[in-house]
DNA sequence: AGCAACGCCTGATAGC
DNA sequence: TGCTATCAGGCGTTGC
C-alpha cells in the first residue's frame, strides 16, 4: 500500500518520464474515481495541458499542469500510476488513461479506493484531506520540539497516533510498525507516557525509517509498483511487518501481532516493552 | 473535541 | 473440487 516512501518514489520515477509531456486525450473507465469535477469538465480541462511538475504531500500526489491547474491523486490501498508505451495492453483494473504526446500515464486500482481531483492550484491545497494533514516528517517543520509538544497530554496509543494523518502526514501501517520497532516502543504505549529520551528515539526512528524506505524505492509487499512499473526493495528490510511468528531479528523471540483499531500491529514483545 | 466503528472494494487464502 | 468466510487497510463519514 502506497505510503510516504512509495508515493515519493512514484513521484520521482514518474517525473523523469512525464514532465514536459502534453495531455492529448483522457479515457475514464470507472467514473467514480474522478471525485471532482464532473466527467465532461475533467476531460475538457485536462486536454491540451502540459504536465509541468510533480509534488507530494503526505500520501497525496500532485500533478501540476500548465495554466495553474493541479490533478490531485490518492492511491489509497491498491492504486497504481504507471507510465508506459501506448502499445502495451491495458492491465486488469485500468480505470483512467492519460494519453500523452509520447506514451501514456495509466491509473489501475484493483480495489477501486483511489481518488482523483482536478482543481485550480489554490483550491488543490484546500482539499479537506490535504488541508488537515500534519507536518511532513522529512521537512524542517518536523522537529523534536514539535513532537515533544504534540505528544504531551495525548492519551492515544502510539501506533494510532502515527497512523493519524492530521498528526503526521504520510505514515501507514507498514512504516508505523517498522518505526516503533526501530524505536523499541510498544505500539500500545500511551503517547504522553514517553520519556524525553524515548521521544528523541521515536523522532529519529520516524525520519530514519522513512528515509530508508525512500532509498529502497518503497515496499512491494503486495500491489505497490513505482511509476515505471518496477518493484521496490524495502520489503526485504522489514523487521516486523508481516512477520508474525517468525524470529525477531534482534532477539530471536517470535514476532507478535495484535489488532489495533481494526488493523494488524506487528511487534516484538521483548524488544518493544 | 477526541476517538472508535463502519463502509467501500477485489483477490488471495484458509477451512470445511 | 468448490464453496464460503476472512483478511488486507486508508480515509471519509457517522455516532458516541
Amino acid at each position: 500500500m502506497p505510503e510516504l516512501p512509495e508515493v515519493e518514489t512514484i513521484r520521482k520515477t514518474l517525473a523523469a518520464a512525464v514532465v514536459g509531456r502534453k495531455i492529448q486525450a483522457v479515457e475514464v473507465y470507472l467514473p467514480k474515481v474522478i471525485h471532482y469535477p464532473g466527467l465532461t469538465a475533467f476531460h475538457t480541462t485536462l486536454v491540451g495541458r502540459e504536465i509541468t511538475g510533480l509534488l507530494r504531500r503526505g500520501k497525496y500526489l500532485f500533478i501540476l499542469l500548465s495554466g495553474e491547474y493541479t490533478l490531485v491523486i490518492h492511491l489509497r490501498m491498491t492504486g497504481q500510476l504507471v507510465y508506459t508505451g501506448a502499445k502495451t495492453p491495458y492491465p486488469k483494473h485500468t480505470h483512467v488513461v492519460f494519453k500523452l504526446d509520447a506514451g501514456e500515464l495509466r491509473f489501475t486500482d484493483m480495489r477501486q479506493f483511489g481518488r482523483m481531483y482536478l482543481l485550480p492550484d489554490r483550491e488543490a491545497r484546500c482539499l479537506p484531506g490535504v488541508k488537515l494533514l500534519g507536518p511532513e516528517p522529512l521537512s524542517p517543520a518536523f522537529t523534536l520540539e514539535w513532537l515533544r509538544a504534540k505528544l504531551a497530554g495525548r492519551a492515544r496509543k502510539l501506533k494510532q497516533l502515527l497512523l493519524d494523518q492530521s498528526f503526521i502526514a504520510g505514515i501507514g501501517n507498514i512504516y508505523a510498525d517498522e518505526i516503533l520497532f526501530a524505536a523499541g516502543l510498544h505500539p500500545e504505549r500511551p503517547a504522553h507516557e514517553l520519556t524525553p529520551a524515548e521521544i528523541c528515539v521515536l523522532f529519529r526512528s520516524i525520519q530514519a525509517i522513512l528515509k530508508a524506505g525512500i532509498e529502497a524505492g518503497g515496499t512491494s509487499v503486495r500491489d505497490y509498483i513505482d511509476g515505471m512499473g518496477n518493484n521496490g526493495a524495502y520489503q526485504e528490510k522489514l523487521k516486523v511487518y508481516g512477520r508474525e511468528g517468525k524470529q525477531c531479528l534482534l532477539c530471536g523471540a517470535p514476532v507478535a501481532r495484535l489488532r489495533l483499531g481494526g488493523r494488524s500491529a506487528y511487534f516484538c514483545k521483548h524488544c518493544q516493552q
Side-chain angles (χ1 to χ4, degrees), chain A residues 227-238:
Chain A
M228 299 305 285
N230 298 314
N231 283 332
Y234 200 72
Q235 65 277 9
E236 293 153 25
K237 305 196 175 171
L238 295 176

Side-chain angles (χ1 to χ4, degrees), chain A residues 35-154:
Chain A
H35 266 246
Y36 188 87
L39 271 191
T40 309
F42 189 73
H43 279 95
T44 55
T45 309
L46 280 174
V47 171
R49 287 189 201 265
E50 183 186 321
I51 297 172
T52 57
L54 274 79
L55 298 177
R56 181 195 56 75
R57 175 82 172 94
K59 302 175 196 171
Y60 286 85
L61 186 69
F62 290 69
I63 299 183
L64 307 182
L65 302 166
S66 55
E68 298 184 339
Y69 259 81
T70 301
L71 177 62
V72 182
I73 301 178
H74 197 301
L75 299 169
R76 294 280 185 101
M77 299 291 299
T78 56
Q80 300 174 335
L81 208 50
V82 174
Y83 176 80
T84 180
K87 287 177 185 165
T88 319
Y90 288 178
K92 211 175 173 186
H93 308 297
T94 298
H95 303 319
V96 183
V97 177
F98 304 93
K99 295 189 174 280
L100 309 176
D101 50 7
E104 297 183 352
L105 182 59
R106 296 173 181 171
F107 172 75
T108 66
D109 188 0
M110 195 240 307
R111 289 168 71 180
Q112 309 183 1
F113 287 171
R115 283 147 190 232
M116 297 189 190
Y117 312 80
L118 177 62
L119 299 156
D121 288 347
R122 274 181 301 106
E123 294 174 35
R125 293 177 236 288
C126 298
L127 269 178
V130 174
K131 195 170 62 179
L132 299 174
L133 287 174
E136 281 295 319
L138 297 179
S139 79
F142 182 65
T143 64
L144 180 57
E145 289 67 35
W146 179 91
L147 184 65
R148 190 179 295 139
K150 289 289 281 188
L151 288 176
R154 303 288 298 252

Side-chain angles (χ1 to χ4, degrees), chain A residues 1 3 159 162-163 172-188 221-222 238-246 248 253-260 262-272:
Chain A
M1 36 245 84
E3 305 180 28
K159 166 105 188 234
L162 287 181
L163 290 175
N173 208 37
I174 297 174
Y175 291 98
D177 282 356
E178 295 299 312
I179 286 165
L180 289 172
F181 177 79
L185 293 166
H186 194 287
E188 293 190 292
V221 77
R222 199 162 292 118
L238 295 176
K239 303 272 200 298
V240 284
Y241 180 83
R243 296 192 66 249
E244 184 185 17
K246 293 184 182 166
C248 169
V255 172
R257 172 161 87 141
L258 60 85
R259 287 197 81 77
L260 264 182
R263 58 197 89 158
S264 292
Y266 299 92
F267 69 108
C268 172
K269 284 178 183 168
H270 178 252
C271 298
Q272 298 168 259

Side-chain angles (χ1 to χ4, degrees), chain A residues 132 150-168 171 180 185-194 202 260-263:
Chain A
L132 299 174
K150 289 289 281 188
L151 288 176
R154 303 288 298 252
R156 265 179 116 181
K157 295 167 179 172
L158 276 182
K159 166 105 188 234
Q160 294 181 293
L161 208 49
L162 287 181
L163 290 175
D164 183 345
Q165 301 303 297
S166 68
F167 181 69
I168 301 173
I171 299 171
L180 289 172
L185 293 166
H186 194 287
E188 293 190 292
R189 270 296 281 290
H192 61 74
E193 270 188 9
L194 265 59
L202 176 62
L260 264 182
R263 58 197 89 158

